[in-house]
Amino acid sequence: MFFIRDPLKFSDFIHTQKRDPQTNLKSPTMMWDFWSLSPESLHQVTILFSDRGTPDGYRHMNGYGSHNLLADQCEERAVLREVALQDQAGNQKTLPAKEPTT
């Protein structure tokens, strides 16, 4: 599930991801303004800027589909399914190297 549940805020979020037309760079001020004014995005920001959000490669990463799939049933009803791939090798994250002790 997407971290923004209010449809009216989605266009504001997309606006923060676009580049500034004068500098052609992404504006960190726009992103932080949106995140600070949307408390429901705190969980996403925490994952994005933590070691939890930096996997040690594709082998150690869970996968979550962003779309529902229509599973056909023999009965006359439609069933929507979501795809979620769980890592069996264990979630290993990229952590900073420790300083050698002498």
Side-chain angles (χ1 to χ4, degrees):
M1 182 175 291
F2 200 61
F3 66 97
I4 301 171
R5 296 186 183 178
D6 187 1
L8 296 176
K9 289 185 177 182
F10 188 73
S11 62
D12 294 336
F13 171 70
I14 295 300
H15 182 71
T16 67
Q17 303 303 305
K18 294 184 178 182
R19 295 179 182 269
D20 185 0
Q22 294 177 345
T23 62
N24 200 27
L25 298 172
K26 289 190 175 187
S27 173
T29 306
M30 282 195 303
M31 287 190 290
W32 283 109
D33 281 346
F34 176 80
W35 286 335
S36 66
L37 296 173
S38 302
E40 66 269 16
S41 65
L42 178 64
H43 184 254
Q44 179 67 24
V45 174
T46 304
I47 291 174
L48 184 64
F49 288 105
S50 72
D51 290 330
R52 178 181 174 197
T54 311
D56 190 26
Y58 290 115
R59 179 181 172 95
H60 304 288
M61 184 168 66
N62 293 334
Y64 302 98
S66 59
H67 300 288
N68 290 331
L69 303 174
L70 181 63
D72 240 353
Q73 294 284 332
C74 294
E75 304 163 8
E76 294 186 13
R77 64 185 184 123
V79 176
L80 293 175
R81 302 282 185 197
E82 290 185 45
V83 176
L85 305 173
Q86 296 294 319
D87 177 32
Q88 293 180 351
N91 288 337
Q92 293 180 1
K93 305 301 174 194
T94 304
L95 300 175
K98 293 184 178 178
E99 295 290 325
T101 57
T102 56

